[in-house]
């Protein structure tokens, strides 16, 4: 989908001072991607903020993790992400706006033989875990094409490399993990859109498994990590809804996530309703009931309340 907004739309949505500040931080926009009719990006300032700019037919609406946006303002980061999209900045494939040194390096690299480049990349990946993660993400994306759906084992290898144990050599921060998990959520959506429902479910589900296995014991002060896991759960839920087989055992899988894991709050029964179907929802209610007596009373009460709310509002 092409961007359906203009510079003037951004100017109109933001206050003059927000717009001006936003213009100045276009270069700080990273990891810009379009998903479900919204632009997602990170804006690196004094601290990194995660931004979601909706560009639907009803106009622009945005969310940002900065304090300005907390009060409902159209903050400079939203402006910056919109402008970055319009000028084509912030994406890794962008060639325009490349500085002279990078352009020179690009020129030299095009002279390398393919085999040499492969060896060079592998050497760099062995030395630097971030490089390996980038290569793993790029290859998994390539594999998630209709012509060559990857096996579960292949998906698992790539996800393992993308989500290493916390405290590993490079000391990934919550934001690093959040960006990688957001990327896996994107891949889950993309695989599903490409019709690879089984692969989509497995990317989502195995990523959740891996996150739990690794523990991700890093301080998540801004909630970036929880937000990314929430996106991943939603993508997984949507993928499950497209795959009839996925409903088997899904109710107990969901209850286990909600009651036994750090990111339990990211898994919401209403998101999984389509995948569960009526029988699954009934099974889910029954499982909650069973757990009410074994030390989960408070959590079960909250989840039962969510379920009751969902049942009331679902037409
Ligand atoms: Zn902001």
């Amino acid at each position: 989908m092409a961007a359906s907004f203009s510079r003037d739309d951004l100017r109109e949505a933001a206050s003059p001072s927000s717009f001006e500040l936003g213009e100045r931080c276009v270069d700080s926009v990273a990891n810009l991607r379009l998903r479900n009719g919204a632009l997602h990006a990170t804006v690196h300032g004094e601290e990194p903020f995660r931004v979601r700019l909706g560009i639907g037919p009803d106009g622009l609406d945005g969310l940002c993790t900065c304090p300005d946006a907390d009060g409902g303002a159209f903050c400079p980061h939203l402006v910056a992400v919109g402008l970055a999209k319009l000028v084509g900045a912030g994406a890794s494939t962008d060639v325009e706006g490349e500085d002279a040194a990078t352009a020179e390096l690009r020129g030299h690299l095009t002279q390398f033989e393919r085999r040499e480049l492969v060896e060079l990349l592998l050497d760099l990946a062995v030395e630097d875990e971030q490089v390996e993660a980038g290569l793993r993400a790029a290859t998994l994306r390539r594999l998630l094409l209709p012509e060559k759906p990857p096996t579960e084992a292949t998906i698992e290898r790539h996800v393992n490399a993308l989500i290493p144990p916390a405290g590993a050599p490079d000391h990934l921060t919550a934001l690093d993990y959040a960006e990688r998990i957001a990327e896996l959520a994107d891949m889950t959506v993309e695989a599903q859109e490409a019709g690879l429902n089984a692969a989509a479910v497995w990317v989502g589900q195995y990523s959740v498994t891996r996150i739990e296995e690794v523990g991700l014991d890093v301080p998540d002060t801004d909630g970036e990590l929880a937000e990314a896991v929430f996106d991943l759960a939603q993508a997984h839920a949507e993928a499950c809804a497209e795959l009839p087989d996925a409903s088997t055992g899904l109710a107990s899988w969901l209850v286990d996530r909600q009651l036994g894991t750090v990111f339990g709050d990211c898994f919401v029964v209403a998101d999984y309703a389509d995948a569960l179907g009526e029988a699954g929802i009934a099974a889910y209610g029954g499982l909650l009931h069973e757990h009410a007596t074994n030390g989960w009373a408070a959590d079960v009460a909250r989840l039962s309340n969510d379920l009751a709310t969902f049942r009331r509002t679902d037409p």
Side-chain angles (χ1 to χ4, degrees):
M1 184 178 70
S4 52
F5 63 97
S6 67
R7 196 179 174 84
D8 282 343
D9 293 333
L10 290 167
R11 199 188 289 276
E12 215 166 277
S15 69
S17 61
S18 258
F19 187 82
E20 199 179 305
L21 283 169
E23 273 186 310
R24 277 191 251 152
C25 50
V26 175
D27 288 343
S28 313
V29 175
N31 205 12
L32 179 65
R33 55 211 191 279
L34 184 63
R35 173 153 58 98
N36 300 339
L39 294 169
H40 297 252
T42 304
V43 180
H44 293 277
E46 274 173 47
E47 52 179 309
F49 297 116
R50 281 194 58 201
V51 179
R52 178 194 177 283
L53 178 63
I55 51 173
D58 304 327
L60 298 169
D61 72 291
L63 291 172
C64 175
T65 52
C66 81
D68 278 7
D70 222 13
F74 200 90
C75 69
H77 311 112
L78 291 166
V79 173
V81 168
L83 291 174
K85 174 67 182 172
L86 292 174
V87 303
S92 55
T93 51
D94 181 38
V95 177
E96 263 173 65
E98 189 169 82
D99 63 38
T102 310
E104 197 217 349
L105 185 57
R106 172 186 298 278
H108 289 305
L109 286 173
T110 55
Q111 305 301 311
F112 279 56
E113 278 182 36
R114 191 189 174 95
R115 184 175 42 81
E116 287 177 291
L117 284 173
V118 169
E119 291 308 318
L120 177 61
L121 282 172
L122 286 175
D123 283 350
L124 291 171
V126 168
E127 283 164 26
D128 186 333
E129 198 269 332
Q130 297 270 25
V131 173
E132 191 198 347
L135 292 173
R136 286 284 179 181
T139 48
L140 183 55
R141 255 215 164 86
R142 259 179 88 89
L143 287 171
L144 290 169
L145 293 167
E147 306 87 66
K148 40 180 170 180
T151 64
E152 291 190 352
T154 303
I155 291 172
E156 289 164 19
R157 264 199 310 282
H158 283 76
V159 171
N160 288 347
L162 278 164
I163 309 180
D170 287 312
H171 290 287
L172 299 184
T173 64
L175 188 68
D176 292 325
Y177 277 116
E179 285 182 350
R180 292 174 183 206
I181 292 166
E183 195 151 11
L184 288 164
D186 283 349
M187 286 187 220
T188 304
V189 172
E190 287 165 15
Q192 187 221 313
E193 285 172 353
L196 300 178
N197 294 328
V201 167
W202 200 244
V203 173
Q205 192 157 319
Y206 185 75
S207 299
V208 171
T209 305
R210 177 66 178 174
I211 288 164
E212 289 167 7
E213 184 182 279
V214 161
L216 291 196
D217 188 16
V218 286
D220 186 27
T221 39
D222 291 331
E224 313 268 349
L225 201 46
E227 194 194 323
V229 176
F230 180 78
D231 286 351
L232 178 65
Q234 285 203 316
H236 173 245
E238 281 168 29
C240 285
E242 297 297 320
L243 188 73
D245 291 352
S247 63
T248 314
L250 188 60
S252 75
W253 184 88
L254 182 58
V255 171
D256 288 347
R257 306 281 83 65
Q258 290 178 322
L259 291 181
T261 67
V262 183
F263 294 105
D265 288 351
C266 300
F267 298 84
V268 181
V269 67
D271 292 339
Y272 279 90
D274 287 344
L276 285 165
E278 269 176 52
I281 298 217
Y284 173 83
L287 287 165
L288 281 186
H289 192 71
E290 278 173 32
H291 281 83
T293 52
N294 52 10
W296 294 109
D299 294 284
V300 167
R302 178 177 53 79
L303 294 170
S304 299
N305 193 37
D306 287 351
L307 180 59
T309 307
F310 166 71
R311 280 181 164 146
R312 262 199 312 280
T313 53
D314 191 47

